[in-house]
Amino acid sequence: ICGDVNNSGSNPNIVDVTYFVRWLFVGGPPPPIMAAANVNGVMPVNIVDVTTLVRYLFASGPPLNCQ
């Protein structure tokens, strides 16, 4: 599921954002399926993907574009 960064099997939510931030900035575990974290469709997966996911969830941002 595109945006399901923690691979919980549900639609993307705040838990996915938290998981993503922990991985990028404090050494948390990587996303089990990296393609689900590539929400802007551009590699590498980075802070832009986090921003895209937050905009999608909370600011009526554009649809997610996992590749």
Side-chain angles (χ1 to χ4, degrees):
I1 300 171
C2 187
D4 182 17
V5 179
N6 65 353
N7 197 34
S8 66
S10 66
N11 289 327
N13 56 46
I14 189 64
V15 177
D16 295 295
V17 173
T18 303
Y19 190 99
F20 212 155
V21 169
R22 287 186 62 221
W23 170 61
L24 282 176
F25 299 108
V26 294
I33 301 172
M34 194 60 68
N38 183 16
V39 297
N40 69 348
V42 178
M43 289 300 281
V45 174
N46 57 32
I47 188 64
V48 177
D49 294 287
V50 174
T51 303
T52 301
L53 184 56
V54 168
R55 287 180 57 217
Y56 171 77
L57 290 172
F58 302 108
S60 299
L64 302 180
N65 180 28
C66 290
Q67 298 293 317

